[in-house]
mmCIF file of all heavy atoms in Angstrom:
data_model
loop_
_atom_site.group_PDB
_atom_site.id
_atom_site.type_symbol
_atom_site.label_atom_id
_atom_site.label_comp_id
_atom_site.label_asym_id
_atom_site.label_seq_id
_atom_site.Cartn_x
_atom_site.Cartn_y
_atom_site.Cartn_z
ATOM 1 N N PRO A 266 -133.908 -283.394 220.928
ATOM 2 C CA PRO A 266 -134.338 -284.515 221.540
ATOM 3 C C PRO A 266 -135.739 -284.410 222.150
ATOM 4 O O PRO A 266 -136.596 -285.361 222.039
ATOM 5 C CB PRO A 266 -133.296 -284.755 222.749
ATOM 6 C CG PRO A 266 -132.119 -284.029 222.325
ATOM 7 C CD PRO A 266 -132.620 -282.941 221.471
ATOM 8 N N PHE A 267 -136.099 -283.198 222.662
ATOM 9 C CA PHE A 267 -137.378 -282.941 223.184
ATOM 10 C C PHE A 267 -138.452 -282.877 222.125
ATOM 11 O O PHE A 267 -139.566 -283.301 222.214
ATOM 12 C CB PHE A 267 -137.377 -281.784 224.059
ATOM 13 C CG PHE A 267 -136.409 -281.820 225.192
ATOM 14 C CD1 PHE A 267 -135.159 -281.097 225.080
ATOM 15 C CD2 PHE A 267 -136.687 -282.444 226.393
ATOM 16 C CE1 PHE A 267 -134.215 -281.199 226.081
ATOM 17 C CE2 PHE A 267 -135.793 -282.461 227.375
ATOM 18 C CZ PHE A 267 -134.501 -281.915 227.200
ATOM 19 N N MET A 268 -137.997 -282.298 220.960
ATOM 20 C CA MET A 268 -138.891 -282.159 219.789
ATOM 21 C C MET A 268 -139.188 -283.540 219.216
ATOM 22 O O MET A 268 -140.359 -283.796 218.872
ATOM 23 C CB MET A 268 -138.300 -281.218 218.696
ATOM 24 C CG MET A 268 -138.185 -279.858 219.119
ATOM 25 S SD MET A 268 -137.154 -278.878 217.957
ATOM 26 C CE MET A 268 -138.328 -278.879 216.491
ATOM 27 N N ALA A 269 -138.184 -284.405 219.238
ATOM 28 C CA ALA A 269 -138.340 -285.702 218.679
ATOM 29 C C ALA A 269 -139.217 -286.557 219.519
ATOM 30 O O ALA A 269 -140.211 -287.312 219.042
ATOM 31 C CB ALA A 269 -137.001 -286.487 218.549
ATOM 32 N N LYS A 270 -139.251 -286.376 220.868
ATOM 33 C CA LYS A 270 -140.013 -287.081 221.673
ATOM 34 C C LYS A 270 -141.474 -286.566 221.565
ATOM 35 O O LYS A 270 -142.457 -287.452 221.493
ATOM 36 C CB LYS A 270 -139.639 -286.850 223.165
ATOM 37 C CG LYS A 270 -140.432 -287.608 224.225
ATOM 38 C CD LYS A 270 -139.963 -287.344 225.675
ATOM 39 C CE LYS A 270 -140.849 -288.107 226.652
ATOM 40 N NZ LYS A 270 -140.414 -287.846 228.059
ATOM 41 N N LEU A 271 -141.639 -285.304 221.486
ATOM 42 C CA LEU A 271 -142.988 -284.806 221.292
ATOM 43 C C LEU A 271 -143.573 -285.247 219.913
ATOM 44 O O LEU A 271 -144.776 -285.625 219.896
ATOM 45 C CB LEU A 271 -142.900 -283.307 221.254
ATOM 46 C CG LEU A 271 -144.273 -282.487 221.158
ATOM 47 C CD1 LEU A 271 -145.193 -282.920 222.309
ATOM 48 C CD2 LEU A 271 -144.065 -281.000 221.288
ATOM 49 N N ARG A 272 -142.806 -285.214 218.909
ATOM 50 C CA ARG A 272 -143.301 -285.689 217.567
ATOM 51 C C ARG A 272 -143.751 -287.227 217.727
ATOM 52 O O ARG A 272 -144.700 -287.622 217.155
ATOM 53 C CB ARG A 272 -142.272 -285.556 216.533
ATOM 54 C CG ARG A 272 -142.646 -286.086 215.065
ATOM 55 C CD ARG A 272 -141.388 -286.312 214.291
ATOM 56 N NE ARG A 272 -140.562 -287.290 214.901
ATOM 57 C CZ ARG A 272 -139.244 -287.552 214.579
ATOM 58 N NH1 ARG A 272 -138.710 -286.804 213.673
ATOM 59 N NH2 ARG A 272 -138.519 -288.432 215.239
ATOM 60 N N ASP A 273 -142.872 -288.035 218.258
ATOM 61 C CA ASP A 273 -143.135 -289.476 218.370
ATOM 62 C C ASP A 273 -144.381 -289.733 219.148
ATOM 63 O O ASP A 273 -145.150 -290.635 218.977
ATOM 64 C CB ASP A 273 -141.883 -290.193 218.854
ATOM 65 C CG ASP A 273 -140.661 -290.055 218.044
ATOM 66 O OD1 ASP A 273 -140.878 -289.699 216.815
ATOM 67 O OD2 ASP A 273 -139.574 -290.367 218.502
ATOM 68 N N GLU A 274 -144.530 -288.953 220.230
ATOM 69 C CA GLU A 274 -145.718 -289.328 221.177
ATOM 70 C C GLU A 274 -147.023 -288.688 220.524
ATOM 71 O O GLU A 274 -148.075 -289.271 220.844
ATOM 72 C CB GLU A 274 -145.458 -288.569 222.439
ATOM 73 C CG GLU A 274 -144.348 -289.337 223.378
ATOM 74 C CD GLU A 274 -144.227 -288.630 224.626
ATOM 75 O OE1 GLU A 274 -144.829 -287.521 224.842
ATOM 76 O OE2 GLU A 274 -143.494 -289.110 225.505
ATOM 77 N N THR A 275 -146.877 -287.654 219.762
ATOM 78 C CA THR A 275 -148.195 -287.092 219.155
ATOM 79 C C THR A 275 -148.464 -287.453 217.754
ATOM 80 O O THR A 275 -149.522 -287.334 217.210
ATOM 81 C CB THR A 275 -148.137 -285.571 219.300
ATOM 82 O OG1 THR A 275 -147.048 -285.046 218.477
ATOM 83 C CG2 THR A 275 -147.953 -285.065 220.685
ATOM 84 N N GLY A 276 -147.309 -287.778 217.006
ATOM 85 C CA GLY A 276 -147.425 -288.197 215.532
ATOM 86 C C GLY A 276 -147.722 -286.940 214.770
ATOM 87 O O GLY A 276 -148.091 -286.930 213.548
ATOM 88 N N GLU A 277 -147.250 -285.760 215.318
ATOM 89 C CA GLU A 277 -147.431 -284.485 214.636
ATOM 90 C C GLU A 277 -146.074 -283.803 214.355
ATOM 91 O O GLU A 277 -145.113 -284.130 215.035
ATOM 92 C CB GLU A 277 -148.333 -283.568 215.448
ATOM 93 C CG GLU A 277 -149.701 -284.067 215.720
ATOM 94 C CD GLU A 277 -150.569 -284.208 214.584
ATOM 95 O OE1 GLU A 277 -150.225 -283.685 213.547
ATOM 96 O OE2 GLU A 277 -151.617 -284.963 214.625
ATOM 97 N N THR A 278 -146.117 -282.952 213.333
ATOM 98 C CA THR A 278 -144.881 -282.208 213.001
ATOM 99 C C THR A 278 -144.679 -281.182 214.245
ATOM 100 O O THR A 278 -145.498 -280.626 214.739
ATOM 101 C CB THR A 278 -144.990 -281.368 211.736
ATOM 102 O OG1 THR A 278 -145.092 -282.345 210.603
ATOM 103 C CG2 THR A 278 -143.900 -280.552 211.476
ATOM 104 N N VAL A 279 -143.353 -281.107 214.538
ATOM 105 C CA VAL A 279 -142.921 -280.076 215.628
ATOM 106 C C VAL A 279 -141.956 -279.083 215.101
ATOM 107 O O VAL A 279 -140.934 -279.417 214.439
ATOM 108 C CB VAL A 279 -142.230 -280.907 216.753
ATOM 109 C CG1 VAL A 279 -141.812 -279.959 217.802
ATOM 110 C CG2 VAL A 279 -143.199 -282.013 217.352
ATOM 111 N N ASN A 280 -142.265 -277.825 215.359
ATOM 112 C CA ASN A 280 -141.414 -276.729 214.891
ATOM 113 C C ASN A 280 -140.838 -275.991 216.016
ATOM 114 O O ASN A 280 -141.339 -275.904 217.056
ATOM 115 C CB ASN A 280 -142.227 -275.700 214.025
ATOM 116 C CG ASN A 280 -142.722 -276.306 212.820
ATOM 117 O OD1 ASN A 280 -142.119 -277.128 212.154
ATOM 118 N ND2 ASN A 280 -143.955 -275.873 212.311
ATOM 119 N N LEU A 281 -139.630 -275.384 215.770
ATOM 120 C CA LEU A 281 -138.960 -274.560 216.772
ATOM 121 C C LEU A 281 -138.625 -273.276 216.146
ATOM 122 O O LEU A 281 -138.038 -273.284 214.999
ATOM 123 C CB LEU A 281 -137.676 -275.185 217.323
ATOM 124 C CG LEU A 281 -136.743 -274.352 218.121
ATOM 125 C CD1 LEU A 281 -137.422 -274.115 219.482
ATOM 126 C CD2 LEU A 281 -135.419 -275.055 218.320
ATOM 127 N N GLY A 282 -138.989 -272.117 216.735
ATOM 128 C CA GLY A 282 -138.634 -270.907 216.050
ATOM 129 C C GLY A 282 -138.291 -269.749 217.111
ATOM 130 O O GLY A 282 -138.534 -269.903 218.366
ATOM 131 N N ILE A 283 -137.828 -268.626 216.482
ATOM 132 C CA ILE A 283 -137.552 -267.467 217.408
ATOM 133 C C ILE A 283 -138.036 -266.208 216.763
ATOM 134 O O ILE A 283 -138.440 -266.268 215.627
ATOM 135 C CB ILE A 283 -135.985 -267.351 217.571
ATOM 136 C CG1 ILE A 283 -135.269 -267.135 216.171
ATOM 137 C CG2 ILE A 283 -135.348 -268.483 218.340
ATOM 138 C CD1 ILE A 283 -133.793 -266.716 216.401
ATOM 139 N N LEU A 284 -138.115 -265.241 217.583
ATOM 140 C CA LEU A 284 -138.656 -263.866 217.051
ATOM 141 C C LEU A 284 -137.559 -263.202 216.375
ATOM 142 O O LEU A 284 -136.428 -263.007 216.841
ATOM 143 C CB LEU A 284 -139.151 -263.108 218.174
ATOM 144 C CG LEU A 284 -139.567 -261.628 217.792
ATOM 145 C CD1 LEU A 284 -140.898 -261.638 216.940
ATOM 146 C CD2 LEU A 284 -139.841 -260.805 219.101
ATOM 147 N N GLU A 285 -137.782 -262.761 215.086
ATOM 148 C CA GLU A 285 -136.888 -261.989 214.334
ATOM 149 C C GLU A 285 -137.563 -261.063 213.370
ATOM 150 O O GLU A 285 -138.297 -261.589 212.477
ATOM 151 C CB GLU A 285 -135.851 -262.903 213.585
ATOM 152 C CG GLU A 285 -134.780 -262.091 212.796
ATOM 153 C CD GLU A 285 -133.631 -262.983 212.363
ATOM 154 O OE1 GLU A 285 -132.857 -263.541 213.148
ATOM 155 O OE2 GLU A 285 -133.504 -263.086 211.091
ATOM 156 N N ASN A 286 -137.382 -259.714 213.460
ATOM 157 C CA ASN A 286 -137.962 -258.786 212.572
ATOM 158 C C ASN A 286 -139.539 -258.949 212.484
ATOM 159 O O ASN A 286 -140.039 -258.977 211.430
ATOM 160 C CB ASN A 286 -137.357 -258.845 211.206
ATOM 161 C CG ASN A 286 -135.914 -258.558 211.134
ATOM 162 O OD1 ASN A 286 -135.466 -257.683 211.903
ATOM 163 N ND2 ASN A 286 -135.179 -259.288 210.325
ATOM 164 N N ASN A 287 -140.172 -259.082 213.672
ATOM 165 C CA ASN A 287 -141.519 -259.256 213.758
ATOM 166 C C ASN A 287 -142.128 -260.481 212.928
ATOM 167 O O ASN A 287 -143.247 -260.466 212.469
ATOM 168 C CB ASN A 287 -142.303 -257.949 213.267
ATOM 169 C CG ASN A 287 -142.408 -256.966 214.369
ATOM 170 O OD1 ASN A 287 -142.230 -257.230 215.536
ATOM 171 N ND2 ASN A 287 -142.814 -255.681 214.027
ATOM 172 N N MET A 288 -141.332 -261.511 212.845
ATOM 173 C CA MET A 288 -141.734 -262.813 212.264
ATOM 174 C C MET A 288 -141.162 -263.822 213.205
ATOM 175 O O MET A 288 -140.347 -263.655 214.022
ATOM 176 C CB MET A 288 -141.088 -262.944 210.882
ATOM 177 C CG MET A 288 -141.557 -261.873 209.915
ATOM 178 S SD MET A 288 -143.084 -262.100 209.186
ATOM 179 C CE MET A 288 -142.954 -263.514 208.044
ATOM 180 N N ALA A 289 -141.926 -265.032 213.009
ATOM 181 C CA ALA A 289 -141.486 -266.205 213.809
ATOM 182 C C ALA A 289 -140.483 -266.966 212.891
ATOM 183 O O ALA A 289 -140.976 -267.664 211.856
ATOM 184 C CB ALA A 289 -142.578 -267.086 214.229
ATOM 185 N N LEU A 290 -139.254 -266.916 213.093
ATOM 186 C CA LEU A 290 -138.206 -267.500 212.202
ATOM 187 C C LEU A 290 -138.070 -268.950 212.630
ATOM 188 O O LEU A 290 -137.687 -269.352 213.646
ATOM 189 C CB LEU A 290 -136.825 -266.854 212.224
ATOM 190 C CG LEU A 290 -135.760 -267.288 211.370
ATOM 191 C CD1 LEU A 290 -136.053 -267.135 209.904
ATOM 192 C CD2 LEU A 290 -134.425 -266.712 211.731
ATOM 193 N N LEU A 291 -138.282 -269.859 211.632
ATOM 194 C CA LEU A 291 -138.212 -271.366 211.890
ATOM 195 C C LEU A 291 -136.786 -271.801 211.956
ATOM 196 O O LEU A 291 -136.006 -271.663 210.980
ATOM 197 C CB LEU A 291 -138.981 -272.083 210.780
ATOM 198 C CG LEU A 291 -139.399 -273.513 211.121
ATOM 199 C CD1 LEU A 291 -140.305 -273.524 212.395
ATOM 200 C CD2 LEU A 291 -140.038 -274.134 210.013
ATOM 201 N N LEU A 292 -136.314 -272.466 213.105
ATOM 202 C CA LEU A 292 -134.878 -272.890 213.224
ATOM 203 C C LEU A 292 -134.811 -274.416 213.059
ATOM 204 O O LEU A 292 -133.845 -274.825 212.610
ATOM 205 C CB LEU A 292 -134.485 -272.534 214.629
ATOM 206 C CG LEU A 292 -134.266 -271.061 215.073
ATOM 207 C CD1 LEU A 292 -133.872 -271.031 216.461
ATOM 208 C CD2 LEU A 292 -133.427 -270.277 214.073
ATOM 209 N N GLN A 293 -135.844 -275.053 213.415
ATOM 210 C CA GLN A 293 -135.749 -276.524 213.366
ATOM 211 C C GLN A 293 -137.233 -277.118 213.032
ATOM 212 O O GLN A 293 -138.199 -276.517 213.507
ATOM 213 C CB GLN A 293 -135.282 -277.136 214.609
ATOM 214 C CG GLN A 293 -135.156 -278.635 214.637
ATOM 215 C CD GLN A 293 -134.171 -279.197 213.599
ATOM 216 O OE1 GLN A 293 -134.482 -279.293 212.439
ATOM 217 N NE2 GLN A 293 -132.960 -279.564 213.968
ATOM 218 N N LYS A 294 -137.289 -278.188 212.315
ATOM 219 C CA LYS A 294 -138.588 -278.796 211.915
ATOM 220 C C LYS A 294 -138.383 -280.325 211.863
ATOM 221 O O LYS A 294 -137.574 -280.811 211.136
ATOM 222 C CB LYS A 294 -139.200 -278.270 210.690
ATOM 223 C CG LYS A 294 -140.469 -278.814 210.120
ATOM 224 C CD LYS A 294 -140.868 -278.237 208.801
ATOM 225 C CE LYS A 294 -142.169 -278.747 208.401
ATOM 226 N NZ LYS A 294 -142.612 -278.146 207.089
ATOM 227 N N LEU A 295 -139.202 -281.018 212.730
ATOM 228 C CA LEU A 295 -139.227 -282.416 212.642
ATOM 229 C C LEU A 295 -140.669 -282.869 212.047
ATOM 230 O O LEU A 295 -141.655 -282.687 212.711
ATOM 231 C CB LEU A 295 -138.997 -283.080 214.069
ATOM 232 C CG LEU A 295 -137.683 -282.664 214.684
ATOM 233 C CD1 LEU A 295 -137.452 -283.460 216.040
ATOM 234 C CD2 LEU A 295 -136.558 -283.043 213.719
ATOM 235 N N GLU A 296 -140.546 -283.475 210.816
ATOM 236 C CA GLU A 296 -141.732 -283.826 210.195
ATOM 237 C C GLU A 296 -142.643 -284.935 210.822
ATOM 238 O O GLU A 296 -142.026 -285.796 211.425
ATOM 239 C CB GLU A 296 -141.432 -284.206 208.767
ATOM 240 C CG GLU A 296 -140.949 -283.022 207.866
ATOM 241 C CD GLU A 296 -142.024 -282.128 207.468
ATOM 242 O OE1 GLU A 296 -143.158 -282.360 207.690
ATOM 243 O OE2 GLU A 296 -141.734 -281.168 206.627
#
């Protein structure tokens, strides 16, 4: 819900990720 609000307010893609094996693993993406 927070990602959707941020995307709608900015008009930009919003990504959510976590650290895994020295990489940022993408968990969610709102285009």
Side-chain angles (χ1 to χ4, degrees):
F267 302 99
M268 294 174 65
K270 182 180 180 182
L271 183 58
R272 178 202 56 196
D273 295 343
E274 290 181 352
T275 63
E277 302 294 342
T278 296
V279 180
N280 293 328
L281 172 70
I283 60 171
L284 175 66
E285 185 169 291
N286 297 324
N287 274 345
M288 299 284 281
L290 180 67
L291 197 63
L292 297 179
Q293 181 63 286
K294 178 180 180 180
L295 299 186
E296 292 280 4

